[in-house]
């Protein structure tokens, strides 16, 4: 029996399902969720922040000593420079300022992700170095969008949805002059890498290398944080080395070097 004669009419009648399947897969992808989250933040900034006082620069990739770093949004104003990291996530979110990893819970499923404040720290320091800003002139801000709920107390600079507008507007003291605002905008625009496929591919490869390196590093068995080499100072094993949690004494997780 020739099945092609049977299947051909079926494909002819259901061809429209192919683009629907592709579109469904696209909107579920991390890339689309990231872009959707950035679009929400962009739209809110354009609607609720005065364009004469707040200048939005989005999707900025800057060179660093060992690669590149990509910043979702930079808002430059007389009240300081705000570096915004966007997270489009759903479910319950658990974490605090010092934890290396936060937790996302969807029903009974738990998943850890990098503390976005730590992730944004590199963005802040890269931009601070480029513009020679003092600490009080630059602010880190993390914005969660999507159907997510904070289940632990969060710092003031971790917000949900449009609350980030309120955070930005809470700063009313001038930190920059108008001429500084103009020069910083020019410096960012001239210092950023062009938004080309090649640069995006190189940045993605750089991020993957960093992630792979971190995954191969030993993690604290208690808090999943970084480990550092330490030396036993007293007792029967004095002088021997081990891996201790970087967060000591808050966390006392240890690993034998032979277990690394």
């Amino acid at each position: 029996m020739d099945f092609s004669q049977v299947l051909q009419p079926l494909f002819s009648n259901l061809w429209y399902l192919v683009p629907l399947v592709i579109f469904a897969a696209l909107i579920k992808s991390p890339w689309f969720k990231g872009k959707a989250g950035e679009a929400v933040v962009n739209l809110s900034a354009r609607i609720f922040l005065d364009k004469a006082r707040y200048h939005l620069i989005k999707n900025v990739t800057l060179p660093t000593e060992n690669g590149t770093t990509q910043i979702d949004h930079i808002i430059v104003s007389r009240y300081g420079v705000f570096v915004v990291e966007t997270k489009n996530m759903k479910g319950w979110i658990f974490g605090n300022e010092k934890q290396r990893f936060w937790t996302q819970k969807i029903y009974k499923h738990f998943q850890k992700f990098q503390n976005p404040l730590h992730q944004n720290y590199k963005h802040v320091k890269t931009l601070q170095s480029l513009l020679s800003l003092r600490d009080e002139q630059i602010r880190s801000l993390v914005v969660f969008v999507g159907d997510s709920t904070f289940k632990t107390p969060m710092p003031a600079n971790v917000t949900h949805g449009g609350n980030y507008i309120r955070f930005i507007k809470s700063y009313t003291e001038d930190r920059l002059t108008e001429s500084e605002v103009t020069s910083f905008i020019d410096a960012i625009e001239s210092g950023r890498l062009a938004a080309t496929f090649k640069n995006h591919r190189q940045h993605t490869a750089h991020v993957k290398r960093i992630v792979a390196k971190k995954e191969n590093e030993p993690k604290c068995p208690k808090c999943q944080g970084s480990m550092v080499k330490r030396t036993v100072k007293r007792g029967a094993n004095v002088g021997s080395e081990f891996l201790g949690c970087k967060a000591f004494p808050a966390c006392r997780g240890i690993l034998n070097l032979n277990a690394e």
Side-chain angles (χ1 to χ4, degrees):
M1 181 178 180
D2 187 358
F3 288 98
S4 62
Q5 295 180 355
V6 178
L7 295 177
Q8 185 174 359
L10 181 64
F11 286 132
S12 299
N13 293 327
L14 299 179
W15 64 268
Y16 61 88
L17 292 179
V18 175
L20 290 178
V21 171
I22 296 175
F23 179 73
L26 177 64
I27 62 176
K28 291 182 179 180
S29 67
W31 174 85
F32 183 86
K33 290 180 180 179
K35 291 301 180 182
E38 292 174 17
V40 171
V41 173
N42 289 336
L43 182 61
S44 298
R46 295 187 184 283
I47 293 176
F48 299 109
L49 292 178
D50 184 355
K51 293 180 181 180
R53 291 188 294 167
Y54 299 93
H55 307 271
L56 173 66
I57 309 173
K58 58 183 181 179
N59 194 23
V60 177
T61 301
L62 296 173
T64 64
E65 292 182 356
N66 58 354
T68 57
T69 190
Q70 193 271 328
I71 305 175
D72 292 338
H73 322 272
I74 301 171
I75 298 175
V76 184
S77 72
R78 300 199 316 268
Y79 317 111
V81 177
F82 299 87
V83 183
V84 185
E85 172 68 19
T86 306
K87 292 294 178 187
N88 188 354
M89 305 181 74
K90 62 181 179 179
W92 290 355
I93 306 298
F94 301 83
N96 63 46
E97 189 172 3
K98 295 183 179 180
Q99 286 178 324
R100 181 181 179 184
F101 293 98
W102 288 7
T103 302
Q104 175 191 35
K105 180 183 179 184
I106 303 177
Y107 299 109
K108 295 183 178 181
H109 177 70
F110 291 85
Q111 179 174 321
K112 291 188 177 296
F113 62 98
Q114 183 184 7
N115 182 337
L117 288 171
H118 294 180
Q119 182 179 355
N120 209 31
Y121 179 81
K122 182 178 181 180
H123 302 160
V124 170
K125 288 303 178 182
T126 300
L127 191 60
Q128 188 173 14
S129 176
L130 173 68
L131 304 179
S132 299
L133 293 168
R134 300 189 303 275
D135 288 345
E136 67 271 16
Q137 294 177 313
I138 189 166
R139 306 288 176 183
S140 174
L141 177 57
V142 176
V143 183
F144 280 78
V145 299
D147 188 19
S148 59
T149 303
F150 298 145
K151 301 302 287 186
T152 51
M154 292 292 177
N157 62 333
V158 179
T159 70
H160 194 281
N163 288 332
Y164 87 95
I165 298 292
R166 187 179 298 111
F167 174 86
I168 291 175
K169 288 185 174 181
S170 69
Y171 290 89
T172 56
E173 183 179 347
D174 284 1
R175 297 293 184 181
L176 304 174
T177 64
E178 285 296 344
S179 62
E180 286 176 324
V181 169
T182 301
S183 65
F184 289 160
I185 293 173
D186 292 340
I188 294 170
E189 293 291 0
S190 61
R192 71 191 300 182
L193 299 179
T196 63
F197 175 76
K198 178 181 178 181
N199 286 334
H200 175 72
R201 184 178 59 184
Q202 290 176 341
H203 174 70
T204 302
H206 173 64
V207 172
K208 288 182 177 179
R209 288 194 298 269
I210 293 176
V211 171
K213 181 180 179 181
K214 289 183 177 180
E215 288 178 347
N216 292 327
E217 291 177 348
K219 296 181 177 61
C220 175
K222 290 189 175 181
C223 71
Q224 295 299 303
S226 301
M227 305 291 282
V228 294
K229 189 176 291 186
R230 302 186 188 277
T231 303
V232 178
K233 297 182 179 179
R234 58 179 179 269
N237 298 318
V238 64
S240 60
E241 295 182 328
F242 67 98
L243 293 177
C245 183
K246 193 174 182 179
F248 178 87
C251 178
R252 297 176 179 269
I254 63 172
L255 283 176
N256 189 301
L257 278 175
N258 294 329
E260 183 178 349

